[in-house]
Structures are given as structure tokens and as C-alpha cells.
Amino acid sequence: MKALKIIGIVLGSLVGLLLLAGGIFWIGWLSPPSPESVCDNVAAVTAAATGRAYPEPARTECLQAAATPPRFGRMPWVTELKCMRDAPDLAALEACERR
């Protein structure tokens, strides 16, 4: 009986570690930034580069695109959104789309 208890503890610990690793992976790499933060940065970078205000229809389109996850390929989508959120200038913003 003691051996079964030890085996149960070991297997339970392994399952717990797998669930913890999966949760950390999901939160760290597959959780997208908020659409507002992405589109706010895109608008700020575009306005700074062109000297004109970012149009409202373009912002609405950006929010919709940033809020809609793809059916396949979530990791590249999240990587592109994080790149767009953190881009300091227009060249970096354009580089995000070519990845």
C-alpha cells in the first residue's frame, strides 16, 4: 500500500508540473496584448511619421483585426501583435508585418 501511495504522489506531481508548464506557456507566449494597446501604438507611430491624425475607420479596422485570433497559427499572430505594440517607429512597425 505504501508503494501505491508513493506512485500516486509521483504521478500526481508530474501531472501538476505539466499543467503548470502549460499554463505558463499559454500566459507567456500565447496570450495576446490588448487590441487597444496595439492600435494606440500604431496610431501614435503613424501620426508621428506622417504628421497627420490616424483616421477613425483605420483605428476601428485595427481594433477588429487585433481582437480576432486566427483559426490556425496563434503564436505568429501574438508575436506580430507584440511587435506592433512595441514598435518605436514606422520602420519597425513595417518590419512586424514582414515576419
Side-chain angles (χ1 to χ4, degrees), residues 43-52:
V45 167
T46 305
T50 61
R52 292 185 288 178

Side-chain angles (χ1 to χ4, degrees), residues 26 30 65 67-78:
W26 181 264
L30 295 179
T68 308
R71 188 166 179 194
F72 300 106
R74 187 174 179 93
M75 188 176 283
W77 174 69
V78 170

Side-chain angles (χ1 to χ4, degrees), residues 34-89:
S34 70
E36 291 81 15
S37 66
V38 172
C39 295
D40 287 346
N41 189 50
V42 169
V45 167
T46 305
T50 61
R52 292 185 288 178
Y54 197 65
E56 190 58 37
R59 179 171 169 71
T60 304
E61 183 180 323
C62 175
L63 286 170
Q64 183 180 9
T68 308
R71 188 166 179 194
F72 300 106
R74 187 174 179 93
M75 188 176 283
W77 174 69
V78 170
T79 304
E80 182 180 357
L81 288 180
K82 288 181 180 179
C83 179
M84 292 169 69
R85 178 196 61 196
D86 300 334
D89 57 6

